[in-house]
Amino acid sequence: MTGVDGGMVWWGWGAAEAHTPLPAGVRSLLEQVLGTACRDTPPVGTDALRLPVGSLADDAHAALVGVLGPAWVRDDRASLVRHCRGRSTTDLLRLRAGDAMDAPDAVVLPASHDEVHAVLAVCGRHRLAVVPFGGGTSVVGGLVAVRAGFAGVIALDVTRMNRLVSVDAKSQIVAVEPGVRGPALAAGLATHGFTLGHLPQSWEYATVGGFAATRSSGQASAGHGRFDSMVVGVRVATPVGTWELGRAPASAAGPDLRELVLGSEGAFGVITQVRLRVRPRPEATHYEGWRLTDFTGAADVLRTLAQRDLLPTVVRLSDEVETAAGLAGGSPVTADPVTGGAVTADPVPGGGCHLITGYEGRAGWVAARRSEVGELLRAAGAVALGRDIGARWLRDRFRGPYLRDALLDVGMFAETLETAGFWSTLPGLYTGVRDAIVAALAVQDAPGVVMCHISHVYPTGASLYFTVVYPQPGEPVASWGRVKAAATRAVLDAGGTITHHHAVGTDHQPWLAAEIGDIGMAVLRSVKDTLDPAGILNPGILLR
Ligand SMILES: Cc1cc2nc3c(=O)[nH]c(=O)nc-3n(C[C@H](O)[C@H](O)[C@H](O)COP(=O)(O)OP(=O)(O)OC[C@H]3O[C@@H](n4cnc5c(N)ncnc54)[C@H](O)[C@@H]3O)c2cc1C
């Protein structure tokens, strides 16, 4: 369904031709607001990239070639660099500065469940660490295995396993291989009259296996749910054998063990097939915008919608700063996670907070739900902004990562972090995290902009998605580490989760015990020891 490398540039996001420089207006506004001149900070040339010096031992390499054939065991520089880390801003900044020292020693591309098993057997025998690799879009350090104690590290790229395996139209269930990317899945399902409705901002490159392994959540989660809620079954290749789960729409056969696979981040096994609940393609869609006066009040309106079972398919509420940034920098609600022209902290008069609502489904449902939601929003003082703003959001909703690259090119730093909390704790979580970020930037003398939006809403609470933009300091990776640590401490203090959908990886791992407790850590450890007794899968990720 898709090419194996996906055409991603090594220094950023997406294909090279999809990039454009930062618009001049945004550039000058940034300089004005942050009081710092933009400067050209291009990535180093490919020749300057530093990779680890080691390579696989000849017998290990030969064994892998014996299993997959020479074309599918790669150790050329381009393949190794493409599989070096994920796509967080700090991942990119390291690469752009020439540091590819976390690259694997080889990349293997199995084409089937049995080949994955055979690869795992070779890696067990030769003591090689295995990093399951989907789209490589992790933003939490989920693709950097600990090397110590291993004879080498391989990236196990699943993107050759990219078939839509079967469609059970009667049950509305499809079976999909793990390497299918978002657009290919959507196209494949469309030919059968179905849609999945999972649209994370990384959709163009992230894979089905990655969605499952990280408990991803997409832009339409209000209507379609998180990815984990769409999974009815999984097939996993573990070092001790094949594990198949999910044989009925619901079951009381003990705890739901699928939950041990969802969010397992490659540490328990390689997901080789996912069975997903799909739904008919929508008959009608309608996207529009609203303005509400303040973020806390507007969040409460979302609470009412969720608790009255009146949610649209998509909701996205920007706080005052994100709204103002969008108004100043161009398109308000395209100020998506990573960047989006976040250039001012001064609320625009009358700007308030922008809300996007989107409806997808049967025509009758779209009309009725839109009318009920509109009534409730108007009663809460919201002002209708019309369809153009919704159309613009739809058009630009996957552009954020490209804008981030443009910002990195001019010496700016832009990164995101996310959490979630119950409604009763959400206001404190919002101010606590925002204040912690502002304080951590102030300590570093960094003039920055902090903005937030809500786009995943539940009857019991919501997620908060923060974007931080500031001029790149001398050591941006260390600087962000301090900001992120302060924000995470604030999350825990305010009763939020360390991650709503980005997963644990290595970045959040130090805080996992604070969230799930020592007993929780021991349970995860015992699962790991059962499924991966030699500990070859993603060492250091999820569990230390
Ligand atoms: C610009 C940008 C925007 C993003 N937007 C969103 C968003 O809106 N919502 C969201 O939820 N996330 C988002 N993310 C995070 C990321 O895209 C998700 O975590 C995604 O699910 C990862 O999928 P992937 O295929 O790229 O996995 P990878 O990055 O390749 O892997 C992620 C983790 O899963 C493991 N893994 C991958 N495939 C398998 C497999 N088949 N079996 C077992 N383990 C496996 C890896 O070892 C790793 O630990 C975004 C990231 C970026 C860079």
Side-chain angles (χ1 to χ4, degrees):
M1 276 172 133
T2 51
V4 275
D5 69 1
M8 178 96 83
V9 293
W10 65 264
W11 44 263
W13 184 259
E17 57 275 17
H19 285 81
T20 49
L22 196 65
V26 176
R27 188 178 168 130
S28 67
L29 200 54
L30 267 174
E31 293 181 332
Q32 195 186 316
V33 170
L34 296 176
T36 318
C38 290
R39 60 202 160 92
D40 288 345
T41 44
V44 299
T46 44
D47 290 352
L49 283 166
R50 302 179 304 282
L51 280 80
V53 279
S55 58
L56 291 188
D58 288 347
D59 56 347
H61 188 266
L64 290 169
V65 169
V67 167
L68 299 178
W72 305 115
V73 181
R74 298 181 178 169
D75 56 8
D76 56 286
R77 270 170 79 86
S79 297
L80 300 183
V81 171
R82 172 65 185 95
H83 292 82
C84 177
R85 310 188 190 100
R87 282 297 180 266
S88 69
T89 298
T90 51
D91 289 339
L92 295 182
L93 283 172
R94 283 190 176 121
L95 278 177
R96 292 167 68 100
D99 172 1
M101 294 303 286
D102 289 319
D105 301 312
V107 179
V108 300
L109 295 114
S112 68
H113 176 85
D114 290 345
E115 286 192 358
V116 172
H117 259 308
V119 167
L120 292 181
V122 169
C123 292
R125 277 200 304 278
H126 291 271
R127 194 80 198 131
L128 301 177
V130 183
V131 180
F133 196 101
T137 68
S138 169
V139 283
V140 291
L143 297 161
V144 184
V146 166
R147 276 182 173 268
F150 291 93
V153 175
I154 64 154
L156 191 159
D157 184 319
V158 298
T159 51
R160 273 180 81 211
M161 301 172 65
N162 58 16
R163 287 179 314 132
L164 180 55
V165 179
S166 64
V167 178
D168 173 354
K170 192 168 190 182
S171 311
Q172 297 194 345
I173 293 173
V174 298
V176 188
E177 288 187 326
V180 183
R181 295 191 171 93
L185 180 59
L189 292 180
T191 64
H192 296 276
F194 288 121
T195 184
L196 183 64
H198 182 65
L199 294 156
Q201 201 200 28
S202 52
W203 181 75
E204 290 170 283
Y205 288 90
T207 61
V208 164
F211 296 151
T214 60
R215 287 188 184 278
S216 167
S217 193
Q219 293 160 349
S221 66
H224 295 313
R226 299 161 57 89
F227 190 79
D228 45 21
S229 73
M230 301 170 182
V231 175
V232 300
V234 284
R235 187 175 203 210
V236 189
T238 80
V240 294
T242 295
W243 202 16
E244 293 258 9
L245 290 163
R247 52 188 299 144
S251 165
D256 189 344
L257 295 176
R258 288 173 303 187
E259 298 288 341
L260 284 177
V261 175
L262 299 168
S264 59
E265 300 185 37
F268 296 166
V270 181
I271 298 165
T272 57
Q273 193 178 110
V274 183
R275 274 175 296 129
L276 296 164
R277 170 177 62 83
V278 291
R279 59 186 79 209
R281 294 188 76 196
E283 268 171 29
T285 62
H286 190 108
Y287 280 76
E288 61 196 351
W290 297 85
R291 185 171 66 228
L292 293 104
T293 44
D294 73 287
F295 186 59
T296 309
D300 222 43
V301 177
L302 296 186
R303 177 180 67 78
T304 306
L305 290 176
Q307 293 178 343
R308 292 195 193 165
D309 202 10
L310 278 180
L311 281 173
T313 312
V314 170
V315 289
R316 183 185 165 114
L317 172 67
S318 299
D319 73 357
E320 288 85 348
V321 180
E322 188 174 280
T323 301
L327 289 170
S331 164
V333 279
T334 58
D336 205 280
V338 194
T339 59
V343 289
T344 177
D346 300 329
V348 171
C353 292
H354 280 182
L355 169 68
I356 291 293
T357 51
Y359 306 84
E360 301 206 354
R362 282 176 291 106
W365 178 87
V366 168
R369 180 58 59 96
R370 217 188 123 229
S371 152
E372 285 178 294
V373 172
E375 203 176 303
L376 199 142
L377 285 170
R378 277 192 195 87
V383 176
L385 299 177
R387 292 187 79 163
D388 283 358
I389 193 171
R392 233 181 307 144
W393 180 80
L394 270 178
R395 185 197 63 200
D396 292 343
R397 61 178 163 167
F398 301 118
R399 287 298 303 164
Y402 300 94
L403 285 169
R404 170 176 61 172
D405 288 342
L407 281 176
L408 297 184
D409 283 342
V410 298
M412 289 293 150
F413 183 98
E415 185 55 299
T416 63
L417 55 90
E418 40 83 54
T419 177
F422 297 123
W423 289 113
S424 53
T425 58
L426 210 66
L429 187 58
Y430 171 62
T431 49
V433 175
R434 195 190 52 191
D435 292 353
I437 296 170
V438 169
L441 289 173
V443 168
Q444 301 182 35
D445 251 346
V449 175
V450 184
M451 49 194 176
C452 183
H453 69 253
I454 292 177
S455 51
H456 308 283
V457 178
Y458 310 88
T460 52
S463 77
L464 295 172
Y465 201 106
F466 291 89
T467 302
V468 186
V469 181
Y470 63 109
Q472 277 174 40
E475 293 187 3
V477 175
S479 160
W480 177 249
R482 291 193 289 275
V483 176
K484 172 85 183 190
T488 309
R489 279 192 296 274
V491 161
L492 289 169
D493 288 349
T497 174
I498 55 172
T499 173
H500 168 263
H501 58 265
H502 280 169
V504 176
T506 50
D507 291 2
H508 291 133
Q509 206 285 329
W511 288 285
L512 183 58
E515 174 146 347
I516 66 170
D518 292 340
I519 294 178
M521 294 302 287
V523 170
L524 290 184
R525 172 55 61 195
S526 63
V527 174
K528 169 89 173 168
D529 290 346
T530 301
L531 298 175
D532 178 24
I536 58 170
L537 282 163
N538 261 352
I541 291 160
L542 188 64
L543 284 163
R544 276 261 164 216

